[in-house]
Amino acid sequence: MSQCRTLAVARGNTPDTGNMKLGAALHAHPGRVSRLRERVVRLLALGGVTVDGPNAWDIQVHDPRFFARVLADGSLGLGDSYMDGWWDARDLDGFLYRVLTADLESRVSHWRNALAWLIAVIANQQRGARAFQVGEQHYDLGNDLYECMLDRRMMYSCAYWQNAHTLDDAQESKLELTLGKLGSRPGQHVLDLGCGWGGALKFAAERFGLAGEGVTVSREQAEYARANCRGLPVEIRLQDYRETHGDFDHVFSIGMFEHVGVRNYRKFMRVARRCMRQPGRFLLHTIGHRHSTNHTDPWIDRHIFPNSMIPSRPQIERAIQGIFSIRGWQNIGMHYERTLLAWRANFERSWWRLAARYGERFQRMWLYYLSVSAAAFRARKLEVWQVLLAPCR
């Protein structure tokens, strides 16, 4: 995929002929619009939401095509119609929280979820040939975007807000928590699987006296991380994790496991183990789901993280059998809603710097992404796990 095409897809700027056909069909059958509206009104009422109501979390519908679209396409239709400006809510995450807690998605057509499940059964969506797709579509969007949104260390994962009052402090607390679990000593060598913009490795070198190597599938991240860690004993590689080799005292991975896919979990664990000396430790930081699946939400897959999926605890436990044993399992998911809302506030505050390059539809997409993610953690649909692993002897 070319760079221009990648950015267009990420922004959701591709033509939607289905919307034009939908509009024509509804124009020809105005009575159908009324029936569809009434059905959506009844569904949203189950979550305490009123269509065109007075509350901040109520939805304001601007385009009558919204009702057919959301009933036909579920979460994909809800997100896409927001990007298209068909509806708004003053308290966007509050609206989405009510939709999620009422489990309204299960009450409408979810054929796209069934299709995603079938595709994942048939094909390995996270195979090596597709490893760089998420880097190109998401992480390569532009460092200017992430610099405006994230903390000064460019950490794109759940912060740890206990005893912290700013995003910078909360991300440093997360790094202290994460790297502290490894029990490392100055001079030891660590591997970061999915190193992002190099913030964790830089912190490891400066605060813990460690040397390190990091791998990422994003060219933008790799270039930034090399500059970010210049002068430190840190090496950054643009590389699929499956190609990683080495001899390290400890391994950690922060927010990358969500891109591995259930078919590759055991391979990922074997890679971590082959790169680690005895008696090393492996710290896995990942978003987690209470239920096992093999795919992600269709809207997230299309616009944000292609080929991603959230692991369950049983899936992780099966993947480590005979390779690692569990030494600790901590859930810090209650800290992610605040992290996401801090990112959203930074994004909104800095939008004037980004508007000319990214455009209004991207803005709505990104606000929806951060808001629905915050709502999911508030509703406890998702968790964040820090799993400390030791090699089986």
Side-chain angles (χ1 to χ4, degrees):
M1 183 181 291
S2 70
Q3 185 175 1
C4 291
R5 172 66 175 168
T6 299
L7 191 55
V9 170
R11 292 177 178 175
N13 287 335
T14 52
D16 194 340
T17 56
N19 289 346
M20 292 184 283
K21 293 177 181 178
L22 177 62
L26 292 178
H27 182 73
H29 301 283
R32 185 173 178 234
V33 177
S34 179
R35 292 191 298 273
L36 294 172
R37 177 189 171 93
E38 184 56 34
R39 185 178 172 192
V40 172
V41 166
R42 289 197 303 268
L43 279 171
L44 291 177
L46 297 174
V49 175
T50 302
V51 175
D52 299 328
N55 299 307
W57 60 81
D58 287 332
I59 186 173
Q60 311 300 315
V61 176
H62 311 309
D63 191 312
R65 292 176 294 174
F66 163 79
F67 303 108
R69 192 173 185 181
V70 75
L71 288 172
D73 292 341
S75 66
L76 181 64
L78 185 66
D80 280 0
S81 59
Y82 181 80
M83 290 170 60
D84 289 338
W86 290 9
W87 63 272
D88 281 294
R90 297 198 311 277
D91 179 7
L92 181 56
D93 54 288
F95 162 72
L96 293 166
Y97 167 76
R98 285 163 175 79
V99 169
L100 290 170
T101 52
D103 199 24
L104 298 186
E105 167 71 4
S106 66
R107 298 174 182 268
V108 300
S109 172
H110 50 277
W111 64 271
R112 289 185 184 273
N113 278 327
L115 178 61
W117 177 86
L118 180 62
I119 291 172
V121 168
I122 296 172
N124 183 354
Q125 296 295 97
Q126 299 83 17
R127 62 189 181 274
R130 301 169 67 97
F132 288 81
Q133 184 177 350
V134 70
E136 294 169 354
Q137 180 169 325
H138 188 83
Y139 297 106
D140 287 348
L141 278 171
N143 289 334
D144 57 342
L145 167 65
Y146 295 106
E147 285 175 323
C148 285
M149 186 178 82
L150 304 178
D151 66 299
R152 67 184 182 89
R153 293 187 180 275
M154 296 279 278
M155 298 305 304
Y156 195 19
S157 54
C158 180
Y160 189 61
W161 290 91
Q162 189 167 323
N163 302 321
H165 301 289
T166 68
L167 182 60
D168 284 345
D169 290 344
Q171 289 292 13
E172 285 208 4
S173 294
K174 187 270 296 298
L175 291 173
E176 288 274 10
L177 177 73
T178 305
L179 298 174
K181 291 176 179 179
L182 295 175
S184 57
R185 300 187 305 276
Q188 288 188 321
H189 201 201
V190 295
L191 170 65
D192 183 351
L193 291 170
C195 65
W197 291 272
L201 283 171
K202 183 177 183 180
F203 188 87
E206 294 175 338
R207 190 67 58 90
F208 289 88
L210 303 175
E213 294 182 19
V215 298
T216 176
V217 293
S218 165
R219 294 184 184 277
E220 292 286 329
Q221 284 186 337
E223 291 178 8
Y224 186 101
R226 288 172 186 138
N228 191 28
C229 297
R230 187 173 293 121
L232 297 171
V234 171
E235 179 182 350
I236 305 296
R237 300 177 184 172
L238 182 64
Q239 186 178 69
D240 179 19
Y241 72 90
R242 280 164 281 227
E243 305 302 318
T244 304
H245 297 269
D247 187 22
F248 301 90
D249 294 289
H250 305 286
V251 178
F252 61 90
S253 181
I254 304 174
M256 178 266 196
F257 196 62
E258 299 88 337
H259 303 302
V260 171
V262 65
R263 287 193 171 198
N264 308 296
Y265 286 168
R266 196 155 176 83
K267 174 68 173 178
F268 180 87
M269 296 300 174
R270 288 193 178 112
V271 169
R273 177 63 190 92
R274 81 181 180 209
C275 292
M276 197 168 66
R277 304 169 185 156
Q278 287 275 20
R281 293 291 182 269
F282 175 32
L283 192 287
L284 178 67
H285 174 117
T286 181
I287 297 173
H289 202 291
R290 286 174 292 174
H291 306 291
S292 297
T293 184
N294 63 7
H295 63 281
T296 194
D297 172 81
W299 188 86
I300 292 292
D301 181 70
R302 172 181 287 187
H303 296 291
I304 308 298
F305 297 118
N307 311 319
S308 63
M309 64 157 287
I310 306 300
S312 68
R313 180 163 183 152
Q315 288 171 333
I316 293 175
E317 290 175 336
R318 284 194 296 271
I320 67 171
Q321 286 180 1
I323 303 173
F324 291 109
S325 60
I326 298 171
R327 297 301 175 88
W329 195 301
Q330 182 181 6
N331 177 18
I332 63 169
M334 68 290 297
H335 296 269
Y336 215 163
E337 179 193 357
R338 187 172 177 182
T339 304
L340 285 153
L341 293 179
W343 291 345
R344 189 181 70 180
N346 287 344
F347 175 74
E348 290 183 296
R349 188 163 46 245
S350 302
W351 177 246
W352 64 273
R353 302 178 183 176
L354 305 169
R357 180 181 179 194
Y358 291 93
E360 181 181 356
R361 197 160 189 266
F362 178 92
Q363 179 190 27
R364 293 182 69 88
M365 179 187 79
W366 210 253
L367 288 174
Y368 188 87
Y369 151 55
L370 296 173
S371 298
V372 75
S373 299
F377 283 98
R378 187 188 310 170
R380 299 295 189 262
K381 296 290 185 179
L382 298 173
E383 299 176 342
V384 177
W385 299 326
Q386 289 205 341
V387 187
L388 183 61
L389 302 169
C392 292
R393 299 186 182 276

